[in-house]
Amino acid sequence: DAKTTQPPSMDCAEGRAANLPCNHSTISGNEYVYWYRQIHSQGPQYIIHGLKNNETNEMASLIITEDRKSSTLILPHATLRDTAVYYCIVRVEFGGGTSYGKLTFGQGTILTVHP
Amino acid sequence: EAQVTQNPRYLITVTGKKLTVTCSQNMNHEYMSWYRQDPGLGLRQIYYSMNVEVTDKGDVPEGYKVSRKEKRNFPLILESPSPNQTSLYFCASSLSFRGTTNTGELFFGEGSRLTVL
């Protein structure tokens, strides 16, 4: 069973904020939310992660709801180069359970940024 | 430069001819894993390794073998490839993820495109 669900595709205008949702309603207390993106057929690239607090780095912001059942990745000023597949996954900390090594990426969200 | 290196990047082979896709990382990462990517199915985990001599099945292990004799290497072995193993394969590695000491970020290789005729 998928641990996360994402919309299959989204569009965004260049220069506007892209808000990508992810549902992880069965997330455990020691599971972190991660976001990766994949441009064309390159290897996925890490974007950001968080446990329960909102996080921001030079690439994006991550908003996690208080109940932790969903999150939103925000690209504040999307560019054409942000067109990619975005994956939301959950990962438990090492020693946090037998599911540590097993990661499920799913199909992700295809974000298309248009001029 | 920190990287995960896969070889070969492209391979066309025939059914039944054993092949190995190598994966090597230079970051002293404990965790390594293999994924395959097929249209419409996203990334699916084949096998993973928590450390040397410790491997376990992912979601789609059938038809594959792995070994982890050294920390830096995690080869994927197809003993008798079949056409349904035609796919794009990715290797990834990370430190053992501990939220207070590291990000647990996965570093991916550039991918190996395998075609089995």
Side-chain angles (χ1 to χ4, degrees), chain A residues 32 34 36 38 40-46 49 87 89 91-94 98 100-107, chain B residues 31 35 37 40-43 45 48 50 58-59 88 90 94-99 103-106 108-109 113:
Chain A
Y32 288 67
Y34 280 79
Y36 288 81
Q38 184 179 26
H40 298 301
S41 295
Q42 299 174 18
Q45 174 191 25
Y46 166 84
H49 79 288
Y87 297 97
I89 69 168
R91 186 179 195 186
V92 70
E93 203 171 1
F94 182 72
T98 57
Y100 169 73
K102 209 164 183 182
L103 299 178
T104 302
F105 274 77
Q107 298 185 46
Chain B
Y31 178 86
Y35 301 84
Q37 186 169 37
L41 296 177
L43 281 162
Q45 191 181 47
Y48 63 91
M50 308 253 284
D59 291 321
L88 177 60
F90 289 101
S94 77
L95 290 168
S96 288
F97 171 47
R98 293 175 173 84
T103 67
E105 172 187 354
L106 281 169
F108 283 82
R113 190 170 292 278

Side-chain angles (χ1 to χ4, degrees), chain A residues 11-23:
Chain A
D11 286 336
C12 178
E14 190 176 20
R16 306 298 294 266
N19 298 287
L20 292 89
C22 179
N23 181 288

Side-chain angles (χ1 to χ4, degrees), chain B residues 43-115:
Chain B
L43 281 162
R44 293 181 294 168
Q45 191 181 47
I46 304 171
Y47 269 95
Y48 63 91
S49 171
M50 308 253 284
N51 213 325
V52 176
E53 302 291 1
V54 182
T55 63
D56 210 342
K57 297 177 181 179
D59 291 321
V60 289
E62 296 79 19
Y64 304 95
K65 287 175 59 177
V66 293
S67 69
R68 188 89 182 275
K69 294 183 170 57
E70 305 167 283
K71 199 171 189 179
R72 65 183 296 126
N73 296 321
F74 190 44
L76 180 70
I77 303 158
L78 286 74
E79 292 273 2
S80 183
S82 62
N84 64 14
Q85 293 178 298
T86 292
S87 188
L88 177 60
Y89 291 87
F90 289 101
C91 179
S93 72
S94 77
L95 290 168
S96 288
F97 171 47
R98 293 175 173 84
T100 56
T101 60
N102 64 71
T103 67
E105 172 187 354
L106 281 169
F107 291 81
F108 283 82
E110 293 185 345
S112 296
R113 190 170 292 278
L114 171 65
T115 301

